[in-house]
Amino acid sequence: MKKQKKAYEIVIDYIKQQIRNRELMIGELLPPERELSEKLGVSRNSIREALKILSVIGVISSRQGAGNYVSCDFDHYLVDTFSMMFILGELDYDQINQIRIGLEMQAYALAVKYADNSEILQMQEYVEKLDRSQNEEENTLWDKKIHYAIAKASRNVLIQNILNALSEVMDVFIEDMRREILRTEERKEMLQEFHKQMVEYLIKRDAKNGQKALMQHFEMIDQIIHEEMKI
């Protein structure tokens, strides 16, 4: 016997179908709760329950006094999912790092194809600012920006979203990880050399050597994390 759908599931399925059919697009306003209630034959409480679920997973967002809009804000949902997996012991640093390396290697290969001159110049600027920085928090900021810039230049939104979520989870659960990595001038200089090589090979459109520099970067980080932070 087929299980009967709950009222809020009917609402979620309807909105998802509207999106699939291109009848609702990113940024468009959803019909008012009253209209959805009448159309679907469910209570307004069921409408609100469905909208809350869709909001949590990033499908819609609410604007005070303006209603509910279709959005594509899945970063927070991914962070929450990965965080719960980490808390429940289904995910650890090594697993996060393995996925991150794979995605960043692919992001780099795509960036070699798609990065334009302005993006590469911006990466160079971030590397130079990290060179000049004497502040631990600024070191962390510029290091993040270099990697985010490469991910963005890949033109792959899924890679960007997953990498951003994994980065946030590591920042939350592996306290002071980035600061520890860049704590000494020697470490900073070694990592900076890899950053510089990554950008230089992007300019040359040399994916093989750029990925080699990226892998050396991650191998050094992995060694520091395991030795110094006892993970």
Side-chain angles (χ1 to χ4, degrees):
M1 185 176 178
K2 191 175 180 179
K3 184 181 177 182
Q4 187 174 6
K5 285 186 178 180
K6 295 179 181 178
Y8 74 85
E9 292 176 324
I10 293 171
V11 181
I12 290 173
D13 286 347
Y14 172 77
I15 293 173
K16 285 165 67 176
Q17 190 60 49
Q18 293 287 97
I19 292 171
R20 287 193 196 101
N21 294 340
R22 303 287 182 177
E23 293 175 34
L24 281 173
M25 305 290 284
I26 292 177
E28 290 188 357
L29 182 66
L30 267 65
E33 290 180 9
R34 178 176 54 79
E35 185 179 324
L36 285 171
S37 175
E38 292 173 357
K39 183 178 183 67
L40 300 175
V42 299
S43 70
R44 292 184 70 170
N45 281 339
S46 296
I47 299 293
R48 293 188 190 106
E49 189 175 1
L51 294 177
K52 185 175 181 180
I53 292 169
L54 290 170
S55 177
V56 167
I57 64 176
V59 176
I60 67 169
S61 58
S62 300
R63 300 177 190 174
Q64 188 65 34
N68 298 291
Y69 290 77
V70 178
S71 64
C72 189
D73 184 19
F74 298 113
D75 282 14
H76 296 302
Y77 176 62
L78 288 172
V79 171
D80 288 342
T81 300
F82 293 152
S83 295
M84 286 298 104
M85 290 176 71
F86 198 98
I87 291 168
L88 294 170
E90 294 297 311
L91 198 61
D92 60 22
Y93 163 76
D94 286 325
Q95 291 172 327
I96 291 175
N97 200 42
Q98 288 157 8
I99 293 298
R100 187 181 172 198
I101 290 171
L103 289 174
E104 289 217 29
M105 293 286 277
Q106 181 62 25
Y108 190 91
L110 292 170
V112 165
K113 289 183 179 181
Y114 301 123
D116 59 36
N117 290 335
S118 65
E119 289 173 314
I120 295 174
L121 284 171
Q122 189 173 59
M123 292 177 208
Q124 288 178 314
E125 181 184 338
Y126 293 154
V127 171
E128 289 168 5
K129 287 184 175 180
L130 183 51
D131 258 341
R132 296 193 297 268
S133 172
Q134 299 298 318
N135 179 284
E136 288 184 355
E137 288 186 6
E138 285 187 4
N139 289 345
T140 297
L141 172 67
W142 299 123
D143 179 73
K144 274 187 174 184
K145 282 185 174 289
I146 293 166
H147 290 271
Y148 287 170
I150 293 172
K152 186 177 178 182
S154 76
R155 305 289 189 268
N156 187 309
V157 175
L158 190 57
I159 287 177
Q160 293 173 52
N161 285 343
I162 296 174
L163 282 175
N164 288 347
L166 291 174
S167 180
E168 283 196 42
V169 171
M170 286 199 289
D171 284 349
V172 170
F173 292 101
I174 307 174
E175 294 181 9
D176 300 323
M177 179 192 71
R178 292 184 194 272
R179 280 199 293 270
E180 181 64 27
I181 291 167
L182 296 166
R183 179 172 56 84
T184 69
E185 196 61 32
E186 181 183 7
R187 287 177 183 171
K188 181 181 170 183
E189 286 178 4
M190 289 175 68
L191 285 173
Q192 269 297 77
E193 181 57 33
F194 296 136
H195 287 143
K196 289 172 183 175
Q197 288 178 22
M198 286 153 55
V199 176
E200 286 170 6
Y201 287 122
L202 261 182
I203 295 170
K204 296 176 182 177
R205 306 294 172 177
D206 184 343
K208 182 178 179 180
N209 283 310
Q211 287 178 317
K212 181 179 177 181
L214 181 61
M215 181 56 75
Q216 289 174 317
H217 169 281
F218 275 115
E219 286 173 351
M220 180 181 169
I221 288 174
D222 196 51
Q223 182 179 351
I224 293 169
I225 292 296
H226 281 92
E227 289 181 359
E228 299 291 333
M229 305 193 74
K230 310 298 186 221
I231 290 176

